[in-house]
Amino acid sequence: MTVRVGVIGTGMIGQDHIRRMTTVLAGVTVVAVTDVDVDTAKKVAEGLPGATLHPTGEELIADPAVDAVLVCSWGPTHEQYVLASIAAGKPVFCEKPLATTQGACLRIVQAEVAAGRRLVQVGYMRRYDAAYRALKRVVDSGELGAPLMMHCAHRNAAVPSFYEKESAITDTAVHEIDMVRWMFGEEITAARVLIPRRSRNGGPLQDPLLLILEMAGGALVDVEISVNIRYGYDIRGEVVGEDGTAALGELSPVTVRRTGQLMTPVPLDWRERFLAAYDVEIQEWVDSLANAAGAPVGPSAWDGYAAAVVSDAGVVALRTGERVPVALAPKPAFYEAVPS
Ligand code: NAD
Ligand code: ISE
């Protein structure tokens, strides 16, 4: 079976996902696109023989030729398209964040529960990265003993001019928020933010930040968020257990020794660092739709909601300097029955 996908939002990641669905992955074809930037969408559609250019996301979702929807528009528009996809009974892959408020995420959770089957998957791609998966296998094996801490760094070379102070949490560290819930299989119970000396490269932003997350099992996670580090895109993670430590490996296939130096390249941005993870993520999503159950098994609407609640707590912690407890709504039994 070939899954026929319609893409809403043909910006950076929309185009990247279209490229992988048309040139890398199997069992999937892109049959429709839309974007409020009509010129960009038109150019993208021209490169997709037979694909329909729709004037709105709603019309794309209603198109009978579209089996499943990929939402790659800006965060504040996600809720309307995810809810419309659920109402149409179509599986929807929504790029992170699921929505920009926890209220909106909860409405999506409630709509999916009412629909009675899993339709939503959220684009938290670190769960598909070979290094993170290898680290999780070590943690799950128990060979480190109980995990006590995890040290993370999320460094962007630079960020766009519309990036705001809070984006460090809501747009960037939200990946670690999802990743640690998955890594340790437990919820985050509180957040704190420490503010070091401000980098002269950060412009009006408070950059870097240190986000501290408390896990339900007692482990502490620290996340350095640097969004103007200049030298490249650098993602790190190390778990400290009772009996040992384990860290994400170095990923470069080559190291160069020259002029008295040992050099390994650093990725330029998220597209390069997580290239293979995005491929696996979208392929596994397509495969899950094509199999007998026809339902996604990756990060769920509940995961999207939980990440939004923690991210909101992080924003309050950033603004107040206080430790902010995380209060999740009761988890519907619906999400216990599905792997996430
Ligand atoms: P972008 O600005 O390059 O592209 C977004 C596109 O959405 C633009 O072309 C814009 O015109 C379009 N758009 C906005 N409102 C729309 C609407 N109502 N209907 C249809 N189209 C609309 O942004 P991007 O970097 O591609 O990010 C898009 C989404 O993907 C964001 O939610 C972002 O957080 C997420 N993202 C995820 C990752 C990841 O690592 N998983 C990386 C980058 C971006
Ligand atoms: C971007 O939206 C992403 O999701 C990237 O993975 C992240 O590293 C970056 O900071 C975000 O702006």
Side-chain angles (χ1 to χ4, degrees):
M1 176 190 164
T2 297
V3 179
R4 300 170 303 171
V5 171
V7 178
I8 300 176
T10 53
M12 241 190 322
I13 204 157
Q15 290 185 32
D16 204 39
H17 285 333
I18 289 171
R19 174 196 58 74
R20 63 175 40 86
M21 287 189 286
T22 51
T23 66
V24 181
L25 309 185
V28 59
T29 177
V30 179
V31 294
V33 294
T34 188
D35 195 299
V36 287
D37 175 351
V38 180
D39 291 341
T40 304
K42 193 160 172 280
K43 265 188 224 130
V44 170
E46 281 164 5
L48 296 167
T52 307
L53 172 60
H54 282 287
T56 66
E58 282 76 10
E59 282 160 272
L60 178 144
I61 292 164
D63 183 344
V66 169
D67 299 321
V69 180
L70 190 65
V71 177
C72 297
S73 49
W74 295 322
T77 70
H78 290 181
E79 178 188 10
Q80 76 190 79
Y81 296 133
V82 174
L83 288 176
S85 302
I86 294 171
K90 294 191 180 182
V92 52
F93 180 104
C94 181
E95 260 309 335
K96 48 74 48 176
L98 175 58
T100 43
T101 67
Q102 51 179 286
C105 291
L106 205 49
R107 286 191 285 278
I108 292 171
V109 163
Q110 286 159 353
E112 189 178 45
V113 171
R117 66 187 176 109
R118 262 207 71 182
L119 290 164
V120 180
Q121 179 163 329
V122 188
Y124 285 119
M125 79 297 181
R126 293 191 177 194
R127 299 180 184 212
Y128 300 88
D129 178 67
Y132 276 109
R133 283 184 164 185
L135 182 57
K136 182 165 170 54
R137 278 196 295 277
V138 173
V139 170
D140 288 349
S141 74
E143 65 192 90
L144 302 180
L148 308 173
M149 289 182 285
M150 182 166 184
H151 307 301
C152 308
H154 189 150
R155 300 185 184 137
N156 284 232
V159 284
S161 54
F162 54 77
Y163 195 91
E164 297 168 339
K165 180 180 171 191
E166 292 78 10
S167 310
I169 313 279
T170 59
D171 190 54
T172 297
V174 73
H175 283 290
E176 274 78 11
I177 289 172
D178 177 70
M179 181 276 295
V180 295
R181 293 181 59 254
W182 164 78
M183 180 68 66
F184 297 124
E186 57 193 50
E187 296 295 355
I188 294 164
T189 53
R192 266 179 277 196
V193 175
L194 301 180
I195 302 182
R197 174 180 168 157
R198 185 186 285 240
S199 162
R200 66 178 158 75
N201 297 324
L205 298 174
Q206 173 55 62
D207 180 40
L209 292 176
L210 195 64
L211 172 67
I212 314 282
L213 301 170
E214 295 177 24
M215 305 303 299
L220 285 183
V221 176
D222 57 272
V223 187
E224 172 207 319
I225 314 156
S226 292
V227 295
N228 287 283
I229 202 77
R230 300 284 174 98
Y231 69 82
Y233 185 79
D234 198 5
I235 301 296
R236 292 169 185 234
E238 181 186 37
V239 175
V240 179
E242 293 167 305
D243 302 323
T245 69
L248 299 173
E250 291 294 333
L251 300 162
S252 170
V254 66
T255 55
V256 177
R257 289 174 168 78
R258 196 169 61 82
T259 58
Q261 291 186 315
L262 172 64
M263 291 172 279
T264 61
V266 178
L268 287 176
D269 63 13
W270 42 269
R271 279 174 297 195
E272 184 180 342
R273 167 62 182 85
F274 288 108
L275 180 80
Y278 294 119
D279 288 351
V280 176
E281 172 190 50
I282 304 293
Q283 184 67 67
E284 289 193 9
W285 176 63
V286 166
D287 293 348
S288 71
L289 304 186
N291 73 19
V297 293
S300 66
W302 175 261
D303 295 317
Y305 162 73
V309 177
V310 177
S311 156
D312 281 358
V315 168
V316 176
L318 170 62
R319 288 182 184 152
T320 63
E322 303 289 323
R323 171 186 180 275
V324 181
V326 170
L328 295 177
K331 187 173 181 178
F334 177 86
Y335 294 103
E336 303 294 356
V338 293
S340 70

